[in-house]
Amino acid sequence: MKTMWFTFFYGDIIPLGILFSIMGLTLYYFVDKYNVLRRRTIKESLSKHLSIEMIEMLELIIIFTGIGNTVVSSILFGEVKWQDFIIIIIGIVYILLPMEDISSVLFPLEQKDEVQTYYEAEEHFNTDYDRENPVTRREILHEIAKKK
């Protein structure tokens, strides 16, 4: 979040910073993807509530862009453009709108209530701990073959 906020706030002053932010976030994504897929490690465990809060905090980027543009224009050029105030106003209106309600009306989702026991869902798993563990792999694969 800090990277996104600073990128949009200082983007007018340091345009090359936008490129470095994109490269940094992309590199961070692929390193995490490699760790999850190849090394089967997760650095931290984040709750879904934190993810939702971060998505909601992304809405502040619009305001930070307008404030950054206003600050840069006033310091470097000694004038403030009316477009910067429009961006700030749009950002404030966007934050105040109930976007979750609007999204649920525009894009309705069906809520399925699926409850299965572990043993019922187990046959649909691509893998599990026993199949990935080198010590128990052969034994479990033999048991799975017997079941089928």
Side-chain angles (χ1 to χ4, degrees):
M1 288 306 302
K2 286 190 305 186
T3 302
M4 297 292 288
W5 285 353
F6 282 116
T7 300
F8 280 89
F9 188 81
Y10 293 111
D12 287 343
I13 300 171
I14 312 166
L16 195 58
I18 296 170
L19 179 65
F20 286 130
S21 293
I22 291 170
M23 288 175 14
L25 289 172
T26 304
L27 183 64
Y28 188 78
Y29 168 77
F30 283 111
V31 167
D32 276 351
K33 183 177 179 177
Y34 173 80
N35 284 334
V36 168
L37 295 178
R38 301 286 183 242
R39 299 177 74 195
R40 291 179 177 76
T41 59
I42 298 175
K43 191 168 82 170
E44 15 343 79
S45 178
L46 305 175
S47 72
K48 73 174 187 174
H49 302 293
L50 180 62
S51 299
I52 291 170
E53 285 297 319
M54 288 174 64
I55 290 170
E56 289 178 6
M57 290 168 69
L58 280 174
E59 296 173 354
L60 296 175
I61 286 176
I62 300 171
I63 292 177
F64 286 150
T65 302
I67 292 171
N69 290 343
T70 304
V71 169
V72 169
S73 297
S74 65
I75 291 174
L76 294 181
F77 306 115
E79 64 180 29
V80 178
K81 300 178 200 170
W82 59 271
Q83 293 97 335
D84 299 335
F85 288 114
I86 290 177
I87 292 173
I88 294 172
I89 291 170
I90 289 172
I92 291 171
V93 168
Y94 184 78
I95 287 174
L96 295 177
L97 287 175
M99 293 309 292
E100 192 170 325
D101 296 335
I102 293 171
S103 294
S104 65
V105 169
L106 293 176
F107 310 105
L109 297 175
E110 292 180 27
Q111 294 292 332
K112 293 185 178 181
D113 189 27
E114 290 188 16
V115 179
Q116 291 181 331
T117 65
Y118 174 80
Y119 298 105
E120 292 171 345
E122 183 180 23
E123 64 186 45
H124 302 292
F125 293 165
N126 291 332
T127 186
D128 60 6
Y129 177 77
D130 291 330
R131 288 184 230 171
E132 293 298 323
N133 186 348
V135 175
T136 60
R137 172 182 278 156
R138 185 174 297 172
E139 201 175 295
I140 293 301
L141 290 177
H142 185 66
E143 285 181 25
I144 291 172
K146 280 184 182 179
K147 286 181 184 178
K148 290 184 179 182

